[in-house]
Short mmCIF file of all heavy atoms in Angstrom, two decimals:
data_model
loop_
_atom_site.label_atom_id
_atom_site.label_comp_id
_atom_site.label_asym_id
_atom_site.label_seq_id
_atom_site.Cartn_x
_atom_site.Cartn_y
_atom_site.Cartn_z
N PRO A 121 31.29 -0.44 1.49
CA PRO A 121 32.07 0.84 1.40
C PRO A 121 31.08 2.02 1.08
O PRO A 121 30.09 1.83 0.36
CB PRO A 121 33.05 0.61 0.32
CG PRO A 121 32.35 -0.37 -0.59
CD PRO A 121 31.54 -1.25 0.25
N LEU A 122 31.46 3.20 1.51
CA LEU A 122 30.81 4.43 1.10
C LEU A 122 31.38 4.76 -0.31
O LEU A 122 32.39 4.26 -0.66
CB LEU A 122 31.28 5.60 2.02
CG LEU A 122 30.64 5.65 3.45
CD1 LEU A 122 31.38 6.79 4.16
CD2 LEU A 122 29.13 5.81 3.39
N HIS A 123 30.66 5.69 -1.00
CA HIS A 123 31.30 6.19 -2.18
C HIS A 123 32.53 6.94 -1.82
O HIS A 123 32.59 7.56 -0.70
CB HIS A 123 30.33 7.25 -2.86
CG HIS A 123 29.28 6.62 -3.70
ND1 HIS A 123 29.58 6.03 -4.85
CD2 HIS A 123 27.94 6.51 -3.46
CE1 HIS A 123 28.46 5.54 -5.36
NE2 HIS A 123 27.48 5.83 -4.52
N ALA A 124 33.59 6.86 -2.66
CA ALA A 124 34.89 7.47 -2.38
C ALA A 124 34.73 9.02 -1.98
O ALA A 124 35.34 9.45 -1.01
CB ALA A 124 35.83 7.28 -3.53
N SER A 125 33.85 9.69 -2.66
CA SER A 125 33.72 11.15 -2.40
C SER A 125 33.07 11.36 -1.06
O SER A 125 33.49 12.26 -0.28
CB SER A 125 32.83 11.78 -3.48
OG SER A 125 31.59 11.16 -3.48
N ARG A 126 32.20 10.46 -0.62
CA ARG A 126 31.51 10.66 0.65
C ARG A 126 32.48 10.29 1.76
O ARG A 126 32.51 10.93 2.82
CB ARG A 126 30.25 9.82 0.67
CG ARG A 126 29.36 10.28 1.84
CD ARG A 126 28.17 9.47 2.00
NE ARG A 126 27.12 9.77 1.09
CZ ARG A 126 25.91 9.20 1.12
NH1 ARG A 126 25.63 8.33 2.07
NH2 ARG A 126 24.98 9.55 0.26
N ARG A 127 33.28 9.28 1.49
CA ARG A 127 34.29 8.94 2.49
C ARG A 127 35.24 10.02 2.72
O ARG A 127 35.62 10.35 3.86
CB ARG A 127 35.02 7.64 2.00
CG ARG A 127 35.86 7.09 3.13
CD ARG A 127 36.98 6.20 2.60
NE ARG A 127 37.98 6.11 3.59
CZ ARG A 127 38.17 5.11 4.43
NH1 ARG A 127 37.44 4.06 4.34
NH2 ARG A 127 39.06 5.12 5.32
N ARG A 128 35.70 10.70 1.58
CA ARG A 128 36.59 11.77 1.74
C ARG A 128 36.01 12.94 2.60
O ARG A 128 36.61 13.49 3.43
CB ARG A 128 37.02 12.36 0.40
CG ARG A 128 38.22 11.74 -0.18
CD ARG A 128 38.85 12.57 -1.37
NE ARG A 128 37.88 12.81 -2.37
CZ ARG A 128 37.58 11.91 -3.37
NH1 ARG A 128 38.14 10.78 -3.35
NH2 ARG A 128 36.70 12.25 -4.29
N HIS A 129 34.73 13.15 2.35
CA HIS A 129 34.05 14.22 3.07
C HIS A 129 33.89 13.94 4.51
O HIS A 129 34.14 14.77 5.36
CB HIS A 129 32.67 14.37 2.37
CG HIS A 129 31.84 15.48 3.05
ND1 HIS A 129 32.08 16.76 2.89
CD2 HIS A 129 30.73 15.30 3.94
CE1 HIS A 129 31.17 17.47 3.62
NE2 HIS A 129 30.35 16.59 4.24
N ARG A 130 33.59 12.63 4.82
CA ARG A 130 33.41 12.29 6.28
C ARG A 130 34.73 12.00 7.01
O ARG A 130 34.82 12.07 8.20
CB ARG A 130 32.55 10.98 6.38
CG ARG A 130 31.13 11.38 6.32
CD ARG A 130 30.27 10.25 6.85
NE ARG A 130 28.91 10.51 6.48
CZ ARG A 130 28.02 9.60 6.10
NH1 ARG A 130 28.41 8.43 6.12
NH2 ARG A 130 26.87 9.98 5.76
N GLY A 131 35.74 11.56 6.21
CA GLY A 131 37.04 11.28 6.80
C GLY A 131 37.11 9.89 7.34
O GLY A 131 38.20 9.42 7.70
N PHE A 132 36.05 9.16 7.36
CA PHE A 132 36.10 7.74 7.77
C PHE A 132 34.88 7.02 7.23
O PHE A 132 33.90 7.65 6.83
CB PHE A 132 36.24 7.59 9.31
CG PHE A 132 34.98 7.69 10.10
CD1 PHE A 132 34.56 6.65 10.87
CD2 PHE A 132 34.21 8.80 10.02
CE1 PHE A 132 33.38 6.70 11.61
CE2 PHE A 132 32.99 8.93 10.76
CZ PHE A 132 32.59 7.87 11.57
N ASP A 133 35.00 5.72 7.28
CA ASP A 133 33.84 4.91 6.80
C ASP A 133 33.32 4.08 7.93
O ASP A 133 34.06 3.17 8.42
CB ASP A 133 34.35 4.08 5.63
CG ASP A 133 33.20 3.27 4.94
OD1 ASP A 133 32.22 3.03 5.62
OD2 ASP A 133 33.43 2.99 3.76
N GLN A 134 32.15 4.41 8.50
CA GLN A 134 31.71 3.69 9.70
C GLN A 134 31.58 2.20 9.48
O GLN A 134 31.82 1.41 10.42
CB GLN A 134 30.47 4.34 10.29
CG GLN A 134 29.19 4.18 9.45
CD GLN A 134 29.06 5.15 8.27
OE1 GLN A 134 29.97 5.95 8.07
NE2 GLN A 134 27.98 5.02 7.55
N ALA A 135 31.20 1.80 8.29
CA ALA A 135 31.05 0.34 8.03
C ALA A 135 32.43 -0.36 8.18
O ALA A 135 32.53 -1.47 8.68
CB ALA A 135 30.46 0.06 6.72
N GLU A 136 33.49 0.33 7.69
CA GLU A 136 34.83 -0.22 7.86
C GLU A 136 35.26 -0.29 9.27
O GLU A 136 35.94 -1.26 9.73
CB GLU A 136 35.86 0.58 7.05
CG GLU A 136 37.24 -0.06 7.17
CD GLU A 136 38.26 0.56 6.19
OE1 GLU A 136 37.97 1.63 5.57
OE2 GLU A 136 39.35 -0.03 6.11
N GLU A 137 34.86 0.65 10.11
CA GLU A 137 35.17 0.70 11.51
C GLU A 137 34.46 -0.51 12.23
O GLU A 137 34.98 -1.08 13.13
CB GLU A 137 34.78 2.02 12.20
CG GLU A 137 35.60 3.23 11.69
CD GLU A 137 37.08 2.98 11.69
OE1 GLU A 137 37.59 2.58 12.75
OE2 GLU A 137 37.70 3.29 10.66
N VAL A 138 33.19 -0.73 11.80
CA VAL A 138 32.53 -1.95 12.32
C VAL A 138 33.30 -3.26 12.05
O VAL A 138 33.51 -4.13 12.88
CB VAL A 138 31.05 -2.01 11.82
CG1 VAL A 138 30.35 -3.31 12.29
CG2 VAL A 138 30.22 -0.76 12.28
N ALA A 139 33.69 -3.35 10.75
CA ALA A 139 34.50 -4.50 10.31
C ALA A 139 35.82 -4.61 11.14
O ALA A 139 36.20 -5.70 11.56
CB ALA A 139 34.84 -4.41 8.84
N ARG A 140 36.41 -3.47 11.43
CA ARG A 140 37.64 -3.43 12.17
C ARG A 140 37.45 -3.98 13.55
O ARG A 140 38.19 -4.78 14.08
CB ARG A 140 38.19 -2.03 12.19
CG ARG A 140 39.69 -1.92 12.64
CD ARG A 140 40.11 -0.44 12.86
NE ARG A 140 39.82 0.44 11.75
CZ ARG A 140 40.63 0.52 10.68
NH1 ARG A 140 41.71 -0.22 10.62
NH2 ARG A 140 40.33 1.39 9.70
N SER A 141 36.33 -3.49 14.26
CA SER A 141 36.03 -3.92 15.57
C SER A 141 35.69 -5.41 15.63
O SER A 141 36.14 -6.13 16.55
CB SER A 141 34.81 -3.15 16.15
OG SER A 141 35.16 -1.81 16.27
N LEU A 142 34.88 -5.87 14.70
CA LEU A 142 34.49 -7.28 14.70
C LEU A 142 35.73 -8.13 14.46
O LEU A 142 35.97 -9.13 15.15
CB LEU A 142 33.43 -7.53 13.54
CG LEU A 142 33.09 -9.04 13.40
CD1 LEU A 142 32.41 -9.62 14.60
CD2 LEU A 142 32.21 -9.23 12.17
N ALA A 143 36.58 -7.74 13.53
CA ALA A 143 37.76 -8.56 13.25
C ALA A 143 38.69 -8.63 14.41
O ALA A 143 39.16 -9.69 14.80
CB ALA A 143 38.49 -7.93 12.00
N SER A 144 38.81 -7.49 15.08
CA SER A 144 39.72 -7.47 16.23
C SER A 144 39.14 -8.29 17.35
O SER A 144 39.88 -8.96 18.11
CB SER A 144 40.04 -6.04 16.56
OG SER A 144 40.11 -5.80 17.94
N ALA A 145 37.80 -8.25 17.54
CA ALA A 145 37.16 -9.00 18.59
C ALA A 145 37.34 -10.55 18.40
O ALA A 145 37.37 -11.22 19.43
CB ALA A 145 35.71 -8.70 18.68
N ILE A 146 37.40 -10.95 17.17
CA ILE A 146 37.53 -12.37 16.94
C ILE A 146 38.98 -12.76 16.57
O ILE A 146 39.28 -13.90 16.17
CB ILE A 146 36.53 -12.99 15.96
CG1 ILE A 146 36.65 -12.33 14.63
CG2 ILE A 146 35.11 -12.84 16.48
CD1 ILE A 146 35.61 -12.85 13.58
N GLY A 147 39.93 -11.82 16.66
CA GLY A 147 41.30 -12.06 16.52
C GLY A 147 41.78 -12.22 15.05
O GLY A 147 42.63 -13.06 14.77
N THR A 148 41.20 -11.46 14.15
CA THR A 148 41.67 -11.45 12.78
C THR A 148 41.70 -10.05 12.23
O THR A 148 41.68 -9.11 13.02
CB THR A 148 40.70 -12.41 11.96
OG1 THR A 148 41.17 -12.39 10.54
CG2 THR A 148 39.26 -11.99 12.00
N SER A 149 41.79 -9.86 10.92
CA SER A 149 41.78 -8.53 10.40
C SER A 149 40.76 -8.47 9.25
O SER A 149 40.23 -9.50 8.77
CB SER A 149 43.20 -8.16 9.79
OG SER A 149 43.58 -9.15 8.84
N HIS A 150 40.41 -7.28 8.83
CA HIS A 150 39.33 -7.12 7.79
C HIS A 150 40.02 -6.85 6.45
O HIS A 150 41.21 -6.37 6.38
CB HIS A 150 38.38 -6.04 8.16
CG HIS A 150 38.92 -4.67 8.04
ND1 HIS A 150 39.79 -4.10 8.96
CD2 HIS A 150 38.72 -3.68 7.14
CE1 HIS A 150 40.13 -2.88 8.62
NE2 HIS A 150 39.53 -2.58 7.50
N GLN A 151 39.26 -7.08 5.38
CA GLN A 151 39.76 -6.85 4.05
C GLN A 151 38.74 -6.06 3.25
O GLN A 151 37.54 -6.16 3.48
CB GLN A 151 39.94 -8.14 3.31
CG GLN A 151 41.26 -8.80 3.52
CD GLN A 151 41.30 -10.09 2.73
OE1 GLN A 151 40.94 -10.10 1.57
NE2 GLN A 151 41.82 -11.17 3.33
N SER A 152 39.22 -5.31 2.27
CA SER A 152 38.28 -4.56 1.41
C SER A 152 38.01 -5.45 0.25
O SER A 152 38.92 -5.85 -0.55
CB SER A 152 38.96 -3.30 1.05
OG SER A 152 38.19 -2.60 0.11
N LEU A 153 36.74 -5.84 0.05
CA LEU A 153 36.36 -6.71 -1.10
C LEU A 153 35.40 -6.14 -2.02
O LEU A 153 35.07 -6.70 -3.07
CB LEU A 153 35.72 -8.02 -0.54
CG LEU A 153 36.57 -9.02 0.28
CD1 LEU A 153 35.74 -10.17 0.74
CD2 LEU A 153 37.82 -9.49 -0.50
N LEU A 154 34.82 -4.91 -1.68
CA LEU A 154 33.77 -4.32 -2.47
C LEU A 154 34.03 -2.84 -2.76
O LEU A 154 34.76 -2.18 -1.94
CB LEU A 154 32.42 -4.35 -1.65
CG LEU A 154 31.86 -5.74 -1.40
CD1 LEU A 154 30.89 -5.64 -0.18
CD2 LEU A 154 31.13 -6.25 -2.61
N LYS A 155 33.52 -2.37 -3.87
CA LYS A 155 33.45 -0.92 -4.08
C LYS A 155 32.13 -0.55 -4.70
O LYS A 155 31.42 -1.36 -5.29
CB LYS A 155 34.62 -0.46 -4.97
CG LYS A 155 34.58 -0.89 -6.37
CD LYS A 155 35.63 -0.16 -7.16
CE LYS A 155 35.50 -0.42 -8.63
NZ LYS A 155 36.43 0.22 -9.49
N ARG A 156 31.69 0.67 -4.53
CA ARG A 156 30.49 1.13 -5.09
C ARG A 156 30.68 1.38 -6.56
O ARG A 156 31.75 1.92 -6.94
CB ARG A 156 30.03 2.45 -4.43
CG ARG A 156 29.78 2.37 -2.97
CD ARG A 156 28.28 2.63 -2.65
NE ARG A 156 28.12 2.43 -1.24
CZ ARG A 156 26.89 2.36 -0.66
NH1 ARG A 156 25.84 2.45 -1.36
NH2 ARG A 156 26.80 2.13 0.60
N THR A 157 29.74 1.04 -7.39
CA THR A 157 29.82 1.39 -8.77
C THR A 157 29.32 2.80 -8.95
O THR A 157 28.67 3.33 -8.10
CB THR A 157 28.93 0.46 -9.66
OG1 THR A 157 27.61 0.59 -9.16
CG2 THR A 157 29.37 -1.00 -9.58
N THR A 158 29.64 3.41 -10.10
CA THR A 158 29.21 4.82 -10.34
C THR A 158 27.72 4.84 -10.61
O THR A 158 27.06 5.78 -10.29
CB THR A 158 30.02 5.47 -11.43
OG1 THR A 158 30.09 4.55 -12.54
CG2 THR A 158 31.38 5.87 -11.01
N ALA A 159 27.25 3.74 -11.27
CA ALA A 159 25.81 3.65 -11.53
C ALA A 159 25.05 3.34 -10.25
O ALA A 159 25.20 2.32 -9.72
CB ALA A 159 25.56 2.61 -12.58
N THR A 160 24.19 4.32 -9.88
CA THR A 160 23.35 4.03 -8.70
C THR A 160 21.91 3.87 -9.18
O THR A 160 21.44 4.69 -9.91
CB THR A 160 23.46 5.16 -7.66
OG1 THR A 160 24.79 5.23 -7.27
CG2 THR A 160 22.56 4.96 -6.52
N ALA A 161 21.35 2.82 -8.85
CA ALA A 161 19.99 2.54 -9.30
C ALA A 161 19.08 3.66 -8.85
O ALA A 161 19.19 4.22 -7.78
CB ALA A 161 19.51 1.19 -8.64
N SER A 162 18.10 3.97 -9.70
CA SER A 162 17.24 5.13 -9.39
C SER A 162 16.42 4.82 -8.09
O SER A 162 16.17 5.75 -7.39
CB SER A 162 16.22 5.43 -10.54
OG SER A 162 15.48 4.24 -10.76
N GLN A 163 16.18 3.59 -7.82
CA GLN A 163 15.52 3.23 -6.58
C GLN A 163 16.28 3.57 -5.36
O GLN A 163 15.80 3.60 -4.24
CB GLN A 163 15.09 1.76 -6.56
CG GLN A 163 13.99 1.38 -7.55
CD GLN A 163 14.57 1.05 -8.89
OE1 GLN A 163 15.66 1.42 -9.22
NE2 GLN A 163 13.79 0.38 -9.70
N ALA A 164 17.64 3.76 -5.54
CA ALA A 164 18.43 4.00 -4.39
C ALA A 164 18.08 5.40 -3.81
O ALA A 164 18.38 5.69 -2.65
CB ALA A 164 19.93 4.09 -4.78
N ARG A 165 17.32 6.18 -4.54
CA ARG A 165 16.89 7.50 -4.07
C ARG A 165 15.75 7.35 -3.06
O ARG A 165 15.44 8.24 -2.37
CB ARG A 165 16.58 8.47 -5.21
CG ARG A 165 17.79 8.85 -5.99
CD ARG A 165 17.46 10.01 -6.91
NE ARG A 165 18.42 9.89 -8.09
CZ ARG A 165 18.06 9.51 -9.24
NH1 ARG A 165 16.79 9.15 -9.46
NH2 ARG A 165 18.93 9.39 -10.21
N ARG A 166 15.09 6.21 -3.13
CA ARG A 166 14.03 5.97 -2.17
C ARG A 166 14.61 5.93 -0.74
O ARG A 166 15.78 5.57 -0.58
CB ARG A 166 13.36 4.60 -2.41
CG ARG A 166 12.53 4.55 -3.66
CD ARG A 166 11.78 3.19 -3.66
NE ARG A 166 11.27 2.94 -4.95
CZ ARG A 166 10.78 1.68 -5.29
NH1 ARG A 166 10.89 0.71 -4.43
NH2 ARG A 166 10.27 1.48 -6.49
#
Side-chain angles (χ1 to χ4, degrees):
L122 289 173
H123 278 289
S125 59
R126 198 182 280 186
R127 190 200 159 101
R128 268 197 304 281
H129 178 74
R130 275 198 196 143
F132 82 122
D133 187 334
Q134 69 279 1
E136 182 171 9
E137 297 307 313
V138 173
R140 195 189 306 281
S141 293
L142 174 64
S144 142
I146 60 182
T148 178
S149 56
H150 72 285
Q151 272 183 44
S152 177
L153 295 177
L154 293 160
K155 69 171 190 180
R156 298 247 176 190
T157 57
T158 44
T160 298
S162 59
Q163 288 87 341
R165 291 191 209 103
R166 289 187 193 165

